[in-house]
Each structure stands twice: as C-alpha cells, then as structure tokens.
Amino acid sequence: MRPGLDPTRWGNRENFVASSVIQTAPDELSIYHRSGDRYVIRTDGFVSVHAGAKEGSLLTKPLIYSGRTLEINFSTSAMGFVQIEILDERESARDRAADAVRLVAHGRDVAVVIEDHVQLAQRHGLDGVHLTNGARGVRHARKELGQDAIVGTFCGASRHDGMNAAEAGADYVSFGPCGATALGHGETAPLDLFQWWSEMIEIPVVAEGALTPALIGQLAPVADFIALGAEIWSEPDPAEALGILWR
C-alpha cells in the first residue's frame, strides 16, 4: 500500500499498531499503538478498502455538503483512482461547473462536449454531447442540439451499433475498451475493427479505454482520434502520464 502521495515517505516508519480499528463510542474509533498510546478519529473520518489485483469499483453513499469548495484527501495503490460526480437537485453546482469549463475552454478555442447531458449542453452553450448508449440516443440528441452541434457516441466493440450510429447522424463513433479491463462486459474492441472502419466508413472513429503506449502505437494509423481518460487523470501528474503514453 502506498503511504500517501509524498514519495519521500515511502519507507518503513515503524509505526506498529494493534490489528484492527475498535469503535470505542458511537462517534469514535480508536487505534492503539504498541507504546500504549491511543489515537482517536471520528467514525466518518476515513474509509479504507483492500482489494486484490483484479479491477473493480466501490460506490460510496452520496455526500451532502454546503459551501463553495469540496476537497478530497485520498491515496490509492497500484492502478486505483477516484472519480467524483456532482449531484444537485437544483443543478446549481453542475451549472456553475459547466459555465466555468466553457469559459476556460472557449477562451482557448477548445470545444466542450459533455457526456450524455443534452439539456445541460443546450442550457450552457456547450458544443455537443458524447453519448454512452450507442446508436439509441443519436437522433434525439441531433434533433435537440441541431446540425451544428457535435454528437458522438460510444459503441463498445459492436460494429453493427457503430454503423447504426453513423446512419443516425453521429459525427464520430467511439469503440473500446481497447485494452484488457474487468470493467463493463470485459469485451475489448479489436484492432481489426478500427482497420475495417477506417477503410470502409467516412465518419471518424475514436479509440478509448485501457490504453497503453503499445496500443496507442498500433491504433494511431487506423483511428482518427485517441481518447484518454483514467489513463492520465487518475495519475498524480496527468501531464507526465500523457508524455509517457505518447512517446
């Protein structure tokens, strides 16, 4: 287990404690040190999950908070990462996030495409949507957002679904995951799918999911775009991770 985000602390600190955490009060957890000292934390102060090498996920309960800033203190080992989704019945927090991203991106001539939320794209002048349900939502998104909007969709490893999405008016089709992963159905999009698509279909094809430098090297000649997500954003330094992937 990696002891925090500071590599200088990756060593034997000799802080031996008794096995397990003991609840010593309704709102109190205790950890006992070999010296006899007792360390006390609140019951909702931390969570620790131990898992094997097989990839999986843990979904927490919703956290209700007030204020303008939310900070998360976390550390993961191996390939672990944390994702946060903003949920607000009034959508005020999500609206502010959409406006902030649009201002920064458009100021640098970068298009903003949001996952699935057609109404949010409409309301905040975003450039389009990236759908995650294959061909099913393409016609609706196109009708709602207009011909000038970007409408793309993820089709897993299904050539048939990709062709249907293209016929429905998608601007691009995304296939993946390209590398081995335990998430989803476990089915990967093979290289020959991208090769066939680039030869037979005019609509751009995007490769995404579980990408490695070797896979990117193989996919670059046959995919119009490479989409990176957890490969860089789960890393402490995304720019450095991008440099390693894109050698």
Side-chain angles (χ1 to χ4, degrees), residues 76-93:
T76 65
S77 59
M79 294 298 292
F81 61 92
V82 172
Q83 291 181 318
I84 300 173
E85 182 178 0
I86 300 175
L87 301 174
D88 191 321
E89 292 181 357
R90 297 166 298 177
E91 296 189 349
S92 58

Side-chain angles (χ1 to χ4, degrees), residues 20-32 38 41-44:
S20 300
V21 179
I22 301 173
Q23 185 165 358
T24 49
D27 59 350
E28 174 186 278
L29 299 175
S30 295
I31 301 174
Y32 290 89
R38 181 169 70 101
I41 54 178
R42 66 183 188 276
T43 53
D44 61 346

